[in-house]
Amino acid sequence: DAARKEAGNTGVDWARLGGNIISPMNLALSSRIPQAATALGRIATSAAAGAGFGALTPVNNAGDNFAAEKAKQVATGAVLGPVTQVMGEGAARVINPMTAPQVKTLMQQGITPTPGQILGGRWQVMEDKLTSLPLVGDLIAGARGKGIDELNIAAYKRALEPIGGTVPTSAGRDAVASVRQQINKAYEDLLPKVQFKADGEFAQDIKSLQGMAENLPPEQAARFSRILKNQVIGKMTPQGGMDGQTLKGIESDIGSLATGLKTDGAFDNRQLGAALDEVRSAIRSNLERSNPQYADELKSANTAWANYTRIRDAASKQGAEEGKFTPAQLSAAVRAGDKTKGKRAFSEGDALMQDLSDPGKSVLASKYPDSGSIGRLSLAALLTQGTAALPFVAPAALPYLPGGRQLAAWALASRPEGAEGVANAVRRLAPAASPALIGLTKP
């Protein structure tokens, strides 16, 4: 220090401070500091680490006061160690945000939540309050609606991927119909190649369905028995067999009846339609078992159909606007479609498509946003306030504009592979920066 002052260098010795930070001893010791599971735990541990680094920091020009200067460095390090850890925690959060697993799952499926939905907690509450602002309210509602549309499209993709179908790019009734038509075509292309031979499992499935149909009102129960007898059992050979052409006719007839009944205004008829759909599912499962040479193709078609039934049931629920279903409606359909005893699969989180419905229900809006009422309030506010509010509204609106939503989601939750390792290294090595702060505290 004396030599630097004689040379006229009275500023901070950045080279020395940098050397203190990247000292092999500092880095080696930082890498061995026990890492607590929580940020608060790591900050507490860094007080001891900072004191240790203070003890290792060189003392320059202390004269006869070496012991006092060293004690000061140790005490300063104990205070500044947590400071550098806090700085490191903040940097690590920027490098690799601690995004909820549910948010990551949705984003991997092509679903982009809003900033408030990504951050959760008080940030989501703040976003809820922003819906009352002029224009921003509409944009937030629109962005949340887009997220629900993307959930619908992700479900369509889940159903169509097994058969290589073309995923609709917009949500609604036409898209649901397209999913059904593509899966049906996949079956129709297979049917001429296969033979049906009823087995014991099929017989048990039909017996169970007959028992369930007995709980329907007498008219619907009788109709179910007639359809089953005339349209299915009666067209089998005495050995329980059918060729592909006969099977194709049964598929078409049962499918048409089920589709028509499920859209009937009477609840009992809709229940009958659902029962006929189960007959078709039993036929398709048996077909897979009867034709091992086409087992993979049939299994893919059956998987596609099983996923479609969740989509169909969600899109037909009360409140599903124009066939667009909410996460809660999809979750209800997933639960209803769970055929395990006591809904075991659903209770354990393993039901078909539950890996999509659960994160959606946890993160996305609980209902499809109605931006109309917000729009009327926004228009009234603008008419009374003029454009004076626009400078304040515009920045808040950016994360909800087309493109801005995806950019905000990337900034808040997306990082390249390896970011987690870099962030963990920053957290671990943060205390090594305390010697620099100790040096800066010197007069």
Side-chain angles (χ1 to χ4, degrees):
D1 282 351
R4 292 180 68 252
K5 289 178 181 178
E6 287 178 7
N9 298 325
T10 57
V12 176
D13 189 350
W14 294 109
R16 189 183 73 194
L17 295 179
N20 287 345
I21 295 175
I22 62 174
S23 157
M25 179 67 74
N26 283 352
L27 296 179
L29 290 176
S30 290
S31 65
R32 293 179 179 277
I33 296 173
Q35 293 292 293
T38 65
L40 286 176
R42 291 189 292 271
I43 291 169
T45 302
S46 65
F53 287 124
L56 294 173
T57 301
V59 176
N60 298 298
N61 302 325
D64 296 332
N65 296 318
F66 177 85
E69 183 65 22
K70 178 53 63 180
K72 178 182 175 182
Q73 286 179 326
V74 171
T76 303
V79 173
L80 295 179
V83 173
T84 59
Q85 188 67 48
V86 169
M87 294 166 61
E89 293 290 335
R93 286 291 298 269
V94 173
I95 295 169
N96 185 52
M98 298 177 68
T99 308
Q102 298 92 331
V103 172
K104 290 183 178 180
T105 297
L106 293 178
M107 293 182 68
Q108 289 166 358
Q109 298 290 323
I111 302 162
T112 305
T114 62
Q117 291 169 340
I118 290 172
L119 296 171
R122 65 181 183 274
W123 298 101
Q124 185 156 5
V125 173
M126 186 184 301
E127 185 176 84
D128 292 339
K129 292 180 179 178
L130 284 174
T131 58
S132 63
L133 285 179
L135 295 182
V136 176
D138 265 345
L139 291 172
I140 293 174
R144 290 180 173 182
K146 284 287 186 183
I148 295 178
D149 286 351
E150 289 164 354
L151 176 76
N152 281 242
I153 293 169
Y156 306 155
K157 183 179 180 182
R158 186 71 63 86
L160 291 170
E161 271 186 335
I163 61 168
T166 302
V167 181
T169 56
S170 59
R173 294 191 181 105
D174 289 344
V176 175
S178 174
V179 173
R180 175 181 58 80
Q181 290 161 2
Q182 291 185 66
I183 297 172
N184 280 342
K185 186 178 185 305
Y187 273 111
E188 289 172 1
D189 291 344
L190 277 169
L191 290 180
K193 308 174 186 177
V194 299
Q195 293 285 326
F196 180 93
K197 180 69 171 69
D199 58 15
E201 189 171 340
F202 176 77
Q204 185 59 47
D205 288 341
I206 294 300
K207 184 178 179 180
S208 296
L209 288 171
Q210 287 174 319
M212 292 171 58
E214 290 176 359
N215 295 321
L216 293 171
E219 180 183 345
Q220 282 75 20
R223 189 177 180 188
F224 178 84
S225 296
R226 288 197 303 273
I227 293 171
L228 187 61
K229 178 181 178 180
N230 298 329
Q231 300 293 333
V232 180
I233 307 300
K235 294 185 177 181
M236 294 181 184
T237 65
Q239 293 76 31
M242 288 185 284
D243 59 24
Q245 196 61 36
T246 302
L247 189 59
K248 184 175 180 178
I250 292 175
E251 272 273 334
S252 178
D253 292 343
I254 295 292
S256 296
L257 284 168
T259 299
L261 287 165
K262 283 184 303 196
T263 58
D264 193 280
F267 173 77
D268 293 334
N269 285 338
R270 293 199 299 273
Q271 292 293 97
L272 173 58
L276 291 175
D277 246 344
E278 291 299 324
V279 171
R280 182 159 60 166
S281 293
I283 291 172
R284 290 177 172 182
S285 295
N286 190 103
L287 195 61
E288 183 181 332
R289 297 189 296 271
S290 301
N291 296 271
Q293 69 274 35
Y294 294 108
D296 288 344
E297 294 172 76
L298 287 165
K299 184 177 181 179
S300 294
N302 284 335
T303 299
W305 181 257
N307 281 307
Y308 162 72
T309 61
R310 275 66 174 173
I311 294 169
R312 176 202 66 203
D313 292 350
S316 65
K317 289 191 178 298
Q318 186 75 27
E321 297 184 9
E322 299 179 353
K324 298 178 182 180
F325 48 82
T326 65
Q329 289 164 337
L330 178 60
S331 180
V334 167
R335 184 182 185 280
D338 178 17
K339 303 303 181 186
T340 60
K341 186 175 181 180
K343 306 294 182 184
R344 176 197 54 77
F346 187 84
S347 70
E348 296 176 1
D350 292 331
L352 185 66
M353 212 182 277
Q354 193 173 359
D355 61 324
L356 181 62
S357 64
D358 274 5
K361 190 176 178 182
S362 173
V363 175
L364 301 178
S366 59
K367 63 179 182 178
Y368 200 88
D370 178 12
S371 61
S373 58
I374 296 174
R376 287 190 290 272
L377 291 173
S378 299
L379 179 59
L382 284 179
L383 290 174
T384 57
Q385 299 174 15
T387 58
L390 289 180
F392 304 99
V393 170
L398 290 176
Y400 306 98
L401 293 171
R405 184 169 61 101
Q406 287 76 12
L407 182 60
W410 176 87
L412 292 171
S414 298
R415 293 295 184 273
E417 188 175 352
E420 183 177 359
V422 174
N424 289 337
V426 168
R427 289 190 181 94
R428 180 174 287 276
L429 298 176
S434 59
L437 294 184
I438 294 171
L440 289 174
T441 61
K442 293 184 64 177

